[in-house]
Amino acid sequence: MELPVWFEITTFVGLTVLLLADLAIVARRPHEPSIKEASLWVGFYVSLALIFGVLMLAFTNGTYATEFYAGWLTEYSLSVDNLFVFVIIMARFQVPRKYQQEALMIGIIIALVLRGIFILIGAVVIERFVWVFYIFGVFLIYTAVNLVKHRGEDEDYEENAFIRRMRKILPITKDYHGAKIRVSENGKKMWTPMIVVILALGTTDLIFALDSIPAIFGLTREPFIVFTANVFALMGLRQLYFLLGGLLKRLVYLSLGLAVILAFIGVKLILEALHENQLPFAGEREPIEAVPHIPIWLSLSIILGVLIVATVASLVKTRGQLASAGPPDIDPETAKSVPTGGPEAAAAAEARIADESGEERSRR
């Protein structure tokens, strides 16, 4: 069954209006959201995603709706992992809290545009070369292994090449000027450190997309579902950043859960490639029916189950810790020693944030 064109157009228009309205609200009044405000926005965006899945069920079929929910859950969990790295970036650049919301919003919009380009490229490649699933599958399994290996690992941080280049070619002021990214200083137009923060957030998320986009294509081949799942996962991430606060320090097993999910989807991709039985050097061949096909409902069940187990295990492990509101406080010097290059970096950041939380408790 084809997705109705009117449904796709209406969705894109609605999401665009929603994102622009969200950006306008943030730009008009930069501030640090209260617990109530952040909770209401996160609840709104999660409810919106759940309702959208119901609409897909009503206007298309159960398979598309299940694919959306599986993709959204996967992307949302990976987006939560992004927050560990976002915390490190904000601490490293010492962004004032009242301006962090605007930086996050613009960074997320940049990430959405870049992810949209990735999704279009991925859809074209998969349509023509099904065997690319072998590459995606191996890559996801490799990423899963690295997620486990890099937990708690100390690494010397080095900014990605794009950010280093921007620092060299852009005249940047020493201090922040509110949430502005460009100001006039001594009669000369200058960029503020905010531009580097926004670019760091956007490009870091792009690196995460190198893992998350292949992962969701392992759950659905519909570009529309892939893109909407990404949009719904990233919408509300800004408010979630402020809502989680101390709870982020307690999700000590999240990266392990994500490693299991990525490894599972990697295996699923390889099995699908084997089932299709198409190779670039072998011509058209008959599918191998003996290779098992993992249904989407089972994928959704496994993803949901792993996330629940990882969350519960994390909360049990860190029981007794109080979860405060607001973004976790990370020492800027500590932040400088943590990499920000993707899911593997998030695993290192996750452990570092938890360690710093433990040191704070011992000092008290």
Side-chain angles (χ1 to χ4, degrees), residues 7 45-70 72 225 228 232:
F7 183 75
Y45 282 121
V46 169
S47 299
L48 207 60
L50 296 174
I51 292 170
F52 183 75
V54 173
L55 291 175
M56 288 202 72
L57 176 62
F59 294 114
T60 59
N61 57 47
T63 299
Y64 283 157
T66 308
E67 287 177 356
F68 169 77
Y69 282 132
W72 172 66
I225 297 177
T228 51
F232 280 107

Side-chain angles (χ1 to χ4, degrees), residues 24-84:
I25 292 171
V26 173
R28 188 182 56 157
R29 190 171 68 93
H31 66 290
E32 180 182 348
S34 65
I35 299 176
K36 181 180 179 181
E37 180 185 347
S39 300
L40 289 173
W41 276 108
V42 170
F44 170 73
Y45 282 121
V46 169
S47 299
L48 207 60
L50 296 174
I51 292 170
F52 183 75
V54 173
L55 291 175
M56 288 202 72
L57 176 62
F59 294 114
T60 59
N61 57 47
T63 299
Y64 283 157
T66 308
E67 287 177 356
F68 169 77
Y69 282 132
W72 172 66
L73 270 176
T74 300
E75 294 294 338
Y76 200 72
S77 57
L78 286 168
S79 294
V80 171
D81 214 29
N82 283 14
L83 293 183
F84 288 103

